Structures are given as structure tokens and as C-alpha cells.
Amino acid sequence: MGRMVKITGTNEIGDSNQLYKIGTKWFKNKEHYINTLKSSNISYQTVLDLLESDKNCLFSDNVKTKIIKLLENEL
């Protein structure tokens, strides 16, 4: 069990292990989470927070290639 956090928009309390995080905001609904990602500016810290939330996540070669290309364009 993770820590108890307040869910953005609803002010419900939920288990951080079962929620999605962007910066300091927690989301219960995956669609709301993805739409927020698409419509907001994303910092490197936000990306690191997302990656750190599941340190055991492995990316496919296709995804790794896309990430590398994006970083090359941004840096």
C-alpha cells in the first residue's frame, strides 16, 4: 500500500499506488490523466516523476527509439 493522497478535482483520498501522478497532482481516471498530459506543458521533472513511479517498467525498442529522438530534438 502506498501513501494516502488527495485526488485532483474530486478531493477524494486514494492510495498513491493505484493512482496516476503529474507533478503534485494525482488522478484516479486514466482518461483524465492522459488528457491532462496532452493539454499541459510537461517539464523534464514531470517526465522523471512519471518514470520513477514505476521503476521496473521496461520500454520496447520502438518506444526507446522515439524517446531518444524526442530528446535529441529537445536538447
Side-chain angles (χ1 to χ4, degrees):
M1 183 171 198
R3 60 188 169 106
M4 300 310 282
V5 296
K6 190 181 288 189
I7 298 169
T8 300
T10 65
N11 291 329
E12 294 176 69
I13 301 297
D15 179 353
S16 63
N17 286 341
Q18 299 174 353
L19 302 173
Y20 306 97
K21 182 182 181 193
I22 302 173
T24 60
K25 296 179 180 178
W26 293 90
F27 297 85
K28 185 176 185 177
N29 180 292
K30 188 174 185 177
E31 186 175 326
H32 184 206
Y33 165 76
I34 290 171
N35 286 336
T36 301
L37 278 175
K38 287 180 179 179
S39 66
S40 62
N41 291 328
I42 299 175
S43 69
Y44 283 97
Q45 187 59 53
T46 300
V47 172
L48 288 173
D49 290 344
L50 292 170
L51 294 174
E52 203 169 69
S53 66
D54 186 357
K55 294 179 182 177
N56 296 320
C57 176
L58 296 176
F59 294 107
S60 68
D61 286 342
N62 186 33
V63 171
K64 284 192 296 186
T65 300
K66 288 179 182 179
I67 291 171
I68 289 167
K69 284 182 181 177
L70 286 169
L71 287 172
E72 287 175 341
N73 290 336
E74 289 292 323
L75 295 176

